[in-house]
Amino acid sequence: MARTLPTNFVLLTTREDEGVIQRHPMFERLKTLCSVVVHHIDHLITNFGHSTTITLAYAEAVRSVGPQMLDTCFFFLVSDYIVADRSFSNVLKQMMSGCSGVQVGNFQVVQEDATPWLSAKRDNVSGVISFSSRELMGWGLSHLHPATVANIVNDPSNHNDHTNRLFWRVDDLTLIGRFYLMHMICIRPERTDFVIGSSCDYSFIPEMCPSDNVAIIDDSDEYLVVEMQPRAHEAAMLRAGPQTIARLARTLSKWTTARHRKNADTTVVFHAGEISSNLPDAEEEASRFIASVRKRLGQPSPFRDHPYWLGAIASFKEAKGLRLTRREMRYVIGLEHPDFSRGHIRAWLSAAVHFGLLGAGLKLRPWHPRWPDHELVLESISSSLQNKDERRLFVADRPTVFTTSMPDDGRRNFRAQRNIFMRQSPDAFGAAHGTFDACLIEMEESDMPSGDELIDRIAPLMKDGATVIVSVYNRRKKSNAIDFAKMMGAESAKLLRPAVRSSKFYFVRSPKLQWRSFDVATRMARFARRRPIVGLPLLALAGLPLALCILVSNRFSSVIKDQTPVAVVSSFLMVMHIGSNANLDIRADSSDRLDQNSRRLRDRLGDDKTTASNPDVWFTPDLASIVGETRSSADAATSPEALS
């Protein structure tokens, strides 16, 4: 490829991983072949929604080229692909013949099997791994992933309940595939004003190639990539017995676009030897099956504002502290699924549930199952919320009422996801030391074993005398819910770090009626989401008496201070005040990570060390513009990158 056209290899990665990549021997070899660029995507990474991150990163890289994108072939590569020789050069031939885009299909192999095989294939001198398409195909057929085996229609032993591709076994050396979801391996955009309204393999082809001048490579001799996945990947979706047309059509109707359905008309042949004489019969069988499925499909989903994308972007915005609409708030806290919004009646019901459970601002209705727990947290942080001059840090992995209602404005409210925050070295936050007046940490019970390290990380960011609040909800099933208080009483001692000057802890005691009502409400909500035709009327009928039961039981809940009750509690809260010794230097164990973060700080802050005391020098790119929003001047400031 590099010999044919000027080539740039763009690595989309984090600042921290850049150093690791650049020290790899093959990085130097790559630089001798073509230009290599590192494009940082820290601002696009969250704890979940990897497809969202990849889509936004790809789109950002394409847009960075400017008008020249119309004369550029973009190869969208993925890091878990194993690629046969000449695959990419054959894609390039299609592009140079005049295509605007090329789509391809692949299958999955077991990562645990692939890794030692690849290591054995590496040349000891050059470090290169090289194999032909038939060699790779022969190995792949012997190490098919369980999810791939489950997608083989003429093997009725099991099936994948939510598949996007189907296979038929032709003979021992041949598979054929019909793909609804295909990878857009290469695109030369026809327009610069494209809009991203769904994941890359939903939207890039119709958005960037509106002429539909798109080729599909249908022979593994021309292009072969196999995808490595852990053996347990998609295990929860595998079911015994054959794939049925009715069940498959129901799942495909929920998400497939018109382009996806068109993709399935093309047969892709995967073969480790010569083309089998049985191929025509297998193709005919596949065509009959796909035609039967097509007859049962509903209306295709749009590639702009796809329901799944609306939910994904809402989650992304919440994780990055952007302001949410009321509907997006319902998406992220689980009151509504984006697919639900297609029906006007169901969307109205979701809005009614939102109004019925959530009050104005940070308030919950008194009949909300978590009202007693939320009120205790709200009371603990209320003094900070009423002070317009204080800076507050909200730390949580999952969306909460606080993270969805208090967007990160870069001035008073800051949002951080706990997992990403903990993966950074403490030195990465040096510019934010002594910044915050209050911090609310909303944790899961499973996070408590690492709670001491989290407090050590957060304490230096707090001012002398600042308040740190830790909230943990009891999400156990009723059979062992009583053990939550005992566990929290033991684990909470870990939070009393040297930086903590004083502390108090609280439990919210729950009457049995409240716990049972909460359990019933949760079960009914899940049932209504799975079976809306039956579940929604049932929820509407039971809603009023259920709300009344919860309202009464909420009034009988009580707060127990500084002692561990022998009873079922619905939540735990700890309020700590940070002392001046929080500024003690807390170091990471790894000198390599310290070196990486020190270099990153120098790159971000330059040689003027006086800027390190001002956390406002760390800004993320305008995420609102990335997700297609316009921000007002009042919201123009964004979060410090350290807290993103």
Side-chain angles (χ1 to χ4, degrees), residues 122 152 221 255 441 449 530-532 589:
R122 182 187 292 117
I152 300 177
D221 275 357
W255 62 269
I441 306 171
R530 288 196 310 269
R531 304 282 183 85
D589 293 332

Side-chain angles (χ1 to χ4, degrees), residues 228-299:
M228 294 188 294
Q229 290 293 349
R231 193 182 302 275
H233 177 67
E234 293 188 350
M237 299 181 184
L238 305 188
R239 303 287 186 271
Q243 181 70 267
T244 66
I245 290 172
R247 181 170 51 236
L248 177 61
R250 279 198 303 271
T251 61
L252 292 174
S253 294
K254 293 179 180 179
W255 62 269
T256 51
T257 65
R259 179 73 222 187
H260 291 147
R261 298 176 186 189
K262 183 178 180 179
N263 291 342
D265 292 336
T266 299
T267 299
V268 180
V269 183
F270 299 94
H271 55 108
E274 296 303 315
I275 296 291
S276 170
S277 60
N278 298 330
L279 181 61
D281 292 339
E283 285 189 283
E284 185 178 348
E285 180 184 347
S287 295
R288 287 197 302 268
F289 189 89
I290 294 297
S292 298
V293 172
R294 184 184 295 110
K295 291 177 182 178
R296 292 173 174 258
L297 294 176
Q299 288 295 313

Side-chain angles (χ1 to χ4, degrees), residues 601-617:
L601 278 170
R602 289 196 297 271
D603 291 341
R604 293 291 292 164
L605 304 177
D607 294 330
D608 183 3
K609 296 181 180 179
T610 60
T611 59
S613 62
N614 179 11
D616 288 336
V617 301

Side-chain angles (χ1 to χ4, degrees), residues 46-61:
T46 65
N47 283 331
F48 41 79
H50 305 304
S51 177
T52 308
T53 295
I54 291 171
T55 298
L56 295 176
Y58 281 157
E60 188 173 273

Side-chain angles (χ1 to χ4, degrees), residues 518-558:
F518 182 43
D519 183 57
V520 171
T522 302
R523 291 172 182 269
M524 290 184 65
R526 289 173 181 166
F527 180 73
R529 186 179 299 175
R530 288 196 310 269
R531 304 282 183 85
I533 294 178
V534 178
L536 282 175
L538 182 63
L539 189 61
L541 288 172
L544 186 59
L546 195 59
L548 184 60
C549 288
I550 295 173
L551 175 63
V552 172
S553 60
N554 281 348
R555 295 302 182 184
F556 284 96
S557 63
S558 58

Side-chain angles (χ1 to χ4, degrees), residues 474-490:
N474 186 354
R475 302 187 191 277
R476 296 187 179 204
K477 295 181 180 179
K478 56 184 179 181
S479 58
N480 65 344
I482 195 171
D483 296 329
F484 173 81
K486 185 187 301 183
M487 187 271 187
M488 295 306 300

